[in-house]
Structures are given as structure tokens and as C-alpha cells.
């Protein structure tokens, strides 16, 4: 476990058959933070493993990355909420500076820009699809983004105010688009991206990547002014608010839960 003094943080971990990765991910959760593992129909005992390791387990029977993420958001109770993949490609300890930035009022939404570590961490076709979507997102929102990855942090109440409706692969992108429409300050920070544990359910295949791109393009082509477009930007934290301590050690979207 990493060490952090900020205890009002819930981390949503969408999960679909991630029994191999869960121990690695959960042991890197910052101390005092709550892991919310959203089981999206696993058949490998992921939910039981997560519960045995101390995570709060939520079951979401409706398949889809967005369905799992939103179920975790609704189950969260902390002031700050983070999202992270549950396949050991991303270290949740790296979320501490994200939350620090939101808590200090320097950003309303912080996103992780994935930096592949080693061969096979990010298949070429998946990276190409992500790059194309990032360019489309920059044109749509005006935000200088390079990645639409799953690692991110914001205030829970503010996220709920966006009124996110996508329950498939477009959920992470819809969050960015609605936040931009609402005038949020969106920041991007580099994070190491590791080869995943087990076989990818989406980015490991051209078909999976195509379905993800299709879902996300639907979000980008939807008319502006959706359910959350008028949600107010989160209030900046008071300047006197102490920033949380960083963990002593920290390293280091995909469209379907757990990919």
C-alpha cells in the first residue's frame, strides 16, 4: 500500500475477469483510499478476490464500460473520485497528484496521458484509434488533449452534475466533452502504461477497437448542449486548504470494463 493522508477519495475500478490483475492493483491503492471494484459480469471469481482483498464490490449486470463506471460513481461517497483500469496497466498510486491538483483548485478534471512502458503495452491499432479520437476531441472542445485514457480524477458532486448518459465505450469521452461544455478546467498528466495482465477484451483486437471508436464518435457528433452541458464548473478549493501528502512510492479507456 502506498501512503497518503487524503482519506476522502474513492477509486472506481471497472472489472471484467481480472482475477490475475486484482492483487497487483489493490496492493498499490493509496492508504486510506477506498477501492470500489465494479464487477461487470466476471466468471473468474474477480468479485470474490476483490472482496477478500478489502475492496468494496459493486455488481453491475448491464455490460459496458460506461455502465460499470457510472455504477461506481453512484456507489461512491467520498468528496473526490478517481477512475482507473483494473488490468494492471496503470498504477492507482499515480492518482495522488491528480487528486492534489483538483483539491488545490488548479483543475476540475485531471486525465492521465498514457506513456507505454515496454513492447506490447499499447497495440498499434489501439494507439492509432486513440490518436484519431483525441484530435477530434481537440477540435470539438478546444482542449489540448493527447489521450482519452481511463485514469482520471475529479470531485464526485461535480461529476454527477454532468448528467452522463453513455453506458458503453463513449463514457470517458462524454465526461470530457460535457466538462468542456460546462467550462471546466481540464488538465492532462503523463502516466506510465504497462503491459496488461491477461488478454485484452477490446484493444487487443481490431474489432474491439473499431467498436470503441464507433461509440466515441457517436459522442463527438452528438449536438452540443446535452444533459450535462450546462452543469456549473466546480468551485475552486480555498487557497488555505492543505494539499494531501504524496505517496512514498508510485509508478506508473478502455471501452469495456476491465478490457
Amino acid at each position: 500500500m502506498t501512503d497518503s493522508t487524503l482519506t476522502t477519495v474513492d477509486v472506481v475500478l471497472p472489472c471484467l475477469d481480472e482475477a490475475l490483475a486484482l492483487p497487483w492493483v489493490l496492493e498499490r491503492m493509496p492508504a486510506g483510499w477506498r477501492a470500489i471494484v465494479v464487477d461487470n459480469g466476471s466468471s473468474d471469481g474477480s468479485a470474490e478476490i476483490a472482496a477478500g482483498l478489502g475492496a468494496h464490490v459493486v455488481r453491475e449486470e448491464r455490460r459496458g464500460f460506461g455502465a460499470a463506471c457510472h455504477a461506481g460513481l453512484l456507489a461512491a461517497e467520498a468528496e473526490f473520485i478517481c477512475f482507473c483500469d483494473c488490468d494492471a496497466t496503470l498504477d492507482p498510486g499515480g492518482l495522488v497528484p491528480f487528486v492534489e491538483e483538483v483539491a488545490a483548485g488548479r483543475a476540475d478534471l485531471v486525465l492521465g496521458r498514457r506513456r507505454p512502458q515496454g513492447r506490447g503495452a499499447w497495440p498499434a491499432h489501439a494507439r492509432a484509434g486513440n490518436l484519431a479520437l483525441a484530435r477530434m476531441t481537440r477540435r470539438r472542445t478546444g482542449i489540448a488533449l493527447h489521450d482519452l485514457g481511463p485514469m482520471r480524477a475529479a470531485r464526485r458532486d461535480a461529476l454527477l452534475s454532468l448528467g452522463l448518459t453513455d453506458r458503453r465505450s463513449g463514457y470517458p469521452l462524454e465526461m470530457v466533452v460535457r466538462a468542456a461544455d460546462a467550462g471546466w478546467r481540464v488538465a492532462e498528466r503523463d502516466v506510465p502504461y504497462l503491459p496488461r495482465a491477461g488478454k485484452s477484451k477490446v484493444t487487443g483486437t481490431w474489432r474491439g477497437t473499431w467498436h470503441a471508436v464507433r461509440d466515441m464518435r457517436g459522442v463527438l457528433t452528438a449536438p452540443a448542449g446535452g444533459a450535462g452541458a450546462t452543469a456549473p464548473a466546480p468551485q475552486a478549493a480555498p487557497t488555505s486548504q492543505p494539499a494531501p501528502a504524496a505517496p512514498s512510492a508510485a509508478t506508473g479507456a478502455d471501452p469495456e470494463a476491465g478490457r
Side-chain angles (χ1 to χ4, degrees):
M1 296 285 284
T2 55
D3 180 29
S4 174
T5 59
L6 189 65
T7 58
T8 57
V9 180
D10 284 336
V11 182
V12 175
L13 299 163
C15 176
L16 177 58
D17 292 332
E18 299 295 358
L20 293 176
L22 275 165
W24 187 94
V25 173
L26 293 176
E27 72 179 9
R28 285 163 175 77
M29 194 66 56
W33 291 22
R34 184 173 68 149
I36 301 178
V37 174
V38 184
D39 186 72
N40 202 208
S42 297
S43 58
D44 66 349
S46 288
E48 292 74 20
I49 291 172
L53 292 171
H56 176 68
V57 177
V58 174
R59 296 184 185 272
E60 173 54 61
E61 299 302 327
R62 180 169 45 169
R63 286 291 182 93
F65 184 74
C69 284
H70 203 71
L73 174 59
L74 295 177
E77 299 174 349
E79 179 180 4
F80 302 98
I81 185 167
C82 301
F83 296 87
C84 185
D85 270 356
C86 198
D87 57 7
T89 57
L90 297 164
D91 186 338
L95 285 162
V96 171
F98 287 33
V99 176
E100 289 177 340
E101 194 160 357
V102 175
R106 296 190 297 270
D108 303 312
L109 175 64
V110 181
L111 309 173
R113 180 182 183 183
R114 292 169 288 183
R115 296 295 195 175
Q117 308 294 303
R119 295 183 61 182
W122 201 350
H125 58 274
R127 195 181 309 190
N130 182 76
L131 179 62
L133 286 166
R135 288 173 175 168
M136 294 173 65
T137 303
R138 289 200 295 270
R139 289 196 296 267
R140 165 66 174 80
T141 66
I143 298 174
L145 291 180
H146 302 84
D147 189 10
L148 296 169
M151 199 171 188
R152 51 192 62 194
R155 293 180 184 272
R156 176 182 177 273
D157 290 346
L159 281 177
L160 287 171
S161 75
L162 292 178
L164 303 177
T165 59
D166 192 283
R167 297 295 180 266
R168 291 176 57 82
S169 304
Y171 188 89
L173 177 56
E174 185 188 21
M175 185 185 297
V176 174
V177 171
R178 298 305 181 208
D181 288 348
W184 288 26
R185 295 160 299 168
V186 180
E188 187 176 61
R189 299 290 176 262
D190 288 355
V191 294
Y193 192 54
L194 309 172
R196 64 159 289 138
K199 181 177 174 57
S200 172
K201 305 167 191 68
V202 173
T203 57
T205 67
W206 281 97
R207 180 180 180 183
T209 299
W210 163 245
H211 283 301
V213 171
R214 181 195 60 189
D215 287 350
M216 292 189 182
R217 287 189 65 181
V219 172
L220 288 171
T221 56
T230 58
Q235 295 295 315
T239 56
S240 60
Q241 177 175 335
S248 57
T251 61
D254 282 299
E256 298 293 343
R259 298 192 329 244

